[in-house]
Amino acid sequence: MRVPKTALSSLVRTQHTAARAPSDAYASLLRRCAAERSLEKARRVHRHMKLSGFRHLSLGNKLVDVYLKCGAIEDAREVFDAMPKPHPVSWNAMISSCVRCSRSREAVDLYKRMLWEGVRADEFTFSSVLRAFSELGLVAQGGAAHGCLVITGVDATNAFVGSALVDMYAKFGKLREARAIYDRVCSKDVVLTTALIVGYTQNGEYSEAIQLFRQVLKDGLSPNDFTFASVLIACGSIGDLRWGLSIHGVMEKFGFKLGCSSQTSLLTMYSRCGLIDDSIKVFESIADPNTVSWTAIIGCLVCNHREELALLMLQNMINDSVRPNAFTLSTALRACSALALFEQGKLIHAFTTKIGLDSNRFVCAALIDTYGKCGRIGMARIIFDDLPGLDLVSVNCMINAYAQNGHGVEAIRAFEMMQVAGLEPNDATFTSVLSACGNAGLLEEGHRVFSFIIDCYKHGPSSDHYACMIDLLGRSGKLEEAEGLITKLRSPDKVLWRSLLSACKIHGKLDMAKRVARNILELDPGDDATYILLSNIYASLGQWNEVINVKSAMRRMNLKKDPAMSWIEVDREFHTFMAGDRGHLKAEEIYKELEGLITRTKELGYVPDTRYVLQEMEELEKERSLYYHSEKLAVAFGVMSSNDKGDIPITIFKNLRVCGDCHSWIKLVSQVVGKEIIARDAKRFHHFKDGLCSCNDYCIYVFAGLWVQNRSSLQNEAKIGRIHKDTITHS
């Protein structure tokens, strides 16, 4: 019976009467509601059926169908549960809708109930529920479902079911089973093949993914957006630019309209192959980039050391009203930490609070890392203390922050705390703890941690752990022990030998230095750092002829020493200085300020330490050269620029280690000007305040070879939080 268009409105008008519409009229109305995707009308029809006394469950399957098509899964479930015997189509519709709406646990429960009630599962059931098993990681139950479909005679070689099986086994990491199912499917389609390519890519089998894609092209299948996206990820992961370019060419040749997924993978591929400018071009070609695309390009820029542009991209993203997620913001914070952009990091922190992501664990870890690398250890600790729960990444970031800022005892305490919390340390944890011991001269603690790695850590010491331990031993004057540790290794790399060579420079061990240098140059004859260290060792011992010989060898090999430079950020603008630099627009004012500071510090006892001048010249010339080191110029400019900024610390940066003479001078400057001065060099942070430094003058003692005799201050500090062997237990 045809129902006129006004039937629904007349039914609604009469819903409080005893009028009853026939079954086919209701069915027709429900079909129309489904076609229009009108949930409101569907509910009105359903209400009318109930109020009119019509047995609405006789049309239960149609009601379930219309509710699901309108996206009202709760309404559909309510009707479904009230039905005495739902049709298999309704079972399948409910299960597939649950999977589609990320309610996989509910889908699995429905599947079990379906079997319990004796309803036969078909290919549509399995194609949905297998995806639910994979989403939940239910390996055993997924395998049981595979067995069930074989027993019930469902054709597993059907591409529809085969795709679900391949996807499930690939997500379980069972690529052999996934490939076996794929090979048995006769009529392969792009969905099936893409499922396996995605599986290979997600499990690190990048070459297999590329080979399968080649087969796709040979078989004449047309790849879709997800196929291209996955295989491009594979190319980028192994740095296969040749195949990446070929795939891009295939996309262009066949006029494939790039989707957002494939474009994002394409720009990531170019970035991982070192072609960041091509990545930017691809991004600019995306008509309407989404959050994933913005996050990808920001991450690519950070990984390729284009941090300034990455932060500009974040600003453009926000201006375009695209909401960043936790991964976007944590990636942007990595850019801030790489450049120690404290003010920018604070702005991003404020933004995370505004959009409610300030408690996200990825964002919190990135904030701890950023504040730590900006020398704001107190702010990093505030974030850490406010964490809802401890996780390995956040604790590692906190330990690393302590290490970089010279807080060795606090790093050890954090290490102990994570073990009490049941977190198992990883390679990064041990590297940070050993680095903290090295920066604070905690030899005994470093020994105990390293012994724990050897005896209890399942992976044993890594090359980074050895490098940290050798650095600690070398700086503590235990050069023979450090050399013995290296020689125990089967194939020590040049980094380990170079750490020992640096220690030889510190302690003036020329014979060992020559021996170590030979080992390095056998591994890498053009290692410029080795020649520079040798030259400095000879210079510190006054052997100027040998200095000339080493520098001549460097010139013959076209090796150059990176010049020392320091920089400071003032009003979001960076100012860079080199020794004796007069190129700054305010050079005259800077030098006037510097000379005033030198005069005032001399009144407090500053005497230029000419041991730090590694050039042959008169003593007076050495003193004058020390006055105009790059870090002194940066500090003078910072003092000059901060007169109206209250107690805000002056922060400077240097590409090499802070000179020992400058270290002594900056301590006195902090006392003269009454401000904290933070200096970040190539190794760590120094916090100068009231004439003291956070490193307890460790770098000064080490350079002068006096550390072994002058470590009482740190020993006293270490007694507060001394790490005992029985406290280092495996988690």
Side-chain angles (χ1 to χ4, degrees), residues 552-563:
S552 297
M554 291 178 67
R555 279 194 295 271
R556 287 194 300 271
M557 300 177 69
N558 292 320
L559 301 177
K560 293 182 179 180
K561 178 182 178 181
D562 290 333

Side-chain angles (χ1 to χ4, degrees), residues 393-413:
V393 176
S394 297
V395 178
N396 282 352
C397 288
M398 194 67 240
I399 293 174
N400 189 52
Y402 280 136
Q404 287 196 321
N405 287 272
H407 296 277
V409 173
E410 287 82 355
I412 294 291
R413 286 174 178 163

Side-chain angles (χ1 to χ4, degrees), residues 387-599:
L387 289 172
L390 292 181
D391 63 86
L392 184 60
V393 176
S394 297
V395 178
N396 282 352
C397 288
M398 194 67 240
I399 293 174
N400 189 52
Y402 280 136
Q404 287 196 321
N405 287 272
H407 296 277
V409 173
E410 287 82 355
I412 294 291
R413 286 174 178 163
F415 175 60
E416 292 174 344
M417 178 174 58
M418 74 180 293
Q419 293 183 302
V420 172
L423 297 173
E424 184 174 354
N426 62 8
D427 280 358
T429 314
F430 291 121
T431 301
S432 295
V433 173
L434 289 172
S435 177
C437 293
N439 283 341
L442 300 177
L443 179 61
E444 187 178 340
E445 287 72 17
H447 264 305
R448 287 176 175 158
V449 172
F450 193 72
S451 297
F452 172 70
I453 299 172
I454 293 173
D455 298 336
C456 303
Y457 185 47
K458 57 186 176 182
H459 300 296
S462 69
S463 59
D464 287 339
H465 302 152
Y466 275 104
C468 290
M469 194 62 201
I470 290 162
D471 180 68
L472 172 58
L473 290 169
R475 290 180 170 277
S476 301
K478 306 290 185 180
L479 275 69
E480 289 75 15
E481 185 180 345
E483 186 176 21
L485 191 60
I486 297 176
T487 54
K488 286 179 183 178
L489 298 175
R490 183 176 300 174
S491 301
D493 59 28
K494 66 178 183 180
V495 175
L496 300 181
W497 285 116
R498 198 187 293 145
S499 294
L500 182 56
L501 184 59
S502 296
C504 292
K505 170 183 174 291
I506 290 169
H507 298 283
K509 298 288 187 178
L510 183 58
D511 291 338
M512 181 182 284
K514 291 178 180 178
R515 185 169 67 250
V516 171
R518 281 196 295 270
N519 289 328
I520 299 173
L521 296 176
E522 283 177 7
L523 295 170
D524 183 3
D527 187 63
D528 54 349
T530 300
Y531 286 101
I532 293 166
L533 282 169
L534 267 179
S535 173
N536 290 343
I537 292 171
Y538 285 129
S540 66
L541 297 173
Q543 298 187 17
W544 302 110
N545 288 334
E546 294 296 338
V547 172
I548 292 170
N549 291 336
V550 173
K551 290 187 175 180
S552 297
M554 291 178 67
R555 279 194 295 271
R556 287 194 300 271
M557 300 177 69
N558 292 320
L559 301 177
K560 293 182 179 180
K561 178 182 178 181
D562 290 333
M565 60 178 65
S566 301
W567 61 95
I568 183 171
E569 183 187 6
V570 174
D571 297 329
R572 298 193 181 181
E573 184 179 351
F574 284 94
H575 302 261
T576 304
F577 301 91
M578 298 175 69
D581 192 350
R582 290 186 177 271
H584 196 279
L585 292 174
K586 296 184 177 180
E588 187 175 338
E589 297 173 57
I590 294 169
Y591 273 78
K592 184 177 179 180
E593 181 73 39
L594 176 56
E595 287 169 6
L597 290 171
I598 289 172
T599 300

Side-chain angles (χ1 to χ4, degrees), residues 104-170:
S104 296
R105 175 61 64 184
E106 192 174 340
V108 170
D109 291 341
L110 281 168
Y111 166 73
K112 291 178 179 178
R113 177 180 151 193
M114 178 183 186
L115 298 182
W116 180 259
E117 293 186 13
V119 181
R120 185 177 180 276
D122 58 19
E123 62 183 35
F124 299 103
T125 317
F126 286 113
S127 66
S128 296
V129 79
L130 289 172
R131 288 187 169 84
F133 287 126
S134 65
E135 290 296 325
L136 297 170
L138 301 175
V139 180
Q141 294 186 45
H146 185 189
C148 182
L149 73 86
V150 172
I151 292 171
T152 55
V154 175
D155 185 9
T157 64
N158 176 291
F160 190 54
V161 178
S163 297
L165 283 168
V166 167
D167 177 72
M168 180 185 75
Y169 281 120

Side-chain angles (χ1 to χ4, degrees), residues 242-289:
R242 182 178 60 87
W243 254 102
L245 290 169
S246 298
I247 293 168
H248 192 183
V250 169
M251 298 162 81
E252 296 286 345
K253 179 180 178 181
F254 289 99
F256 182 80
K257 188 175 181 181
L258 293 174
C260 204
S261 297
S262 56
Q263 285 176 306
T264 302
S265 297
L266 186 61
L267 70 87
T268 303
M269 183 274 294
Y270 279 128
S271 167
R272 288 179 177 174
C273 293
L275 301 177
I276 186 62
D277 290 330
D278 292 86
S279 296
I280 295 171
K281 288 177 184 176
V282 173
F283 178 79
E284 289 173 346
S285 71
I286 302 176
D288 189 19

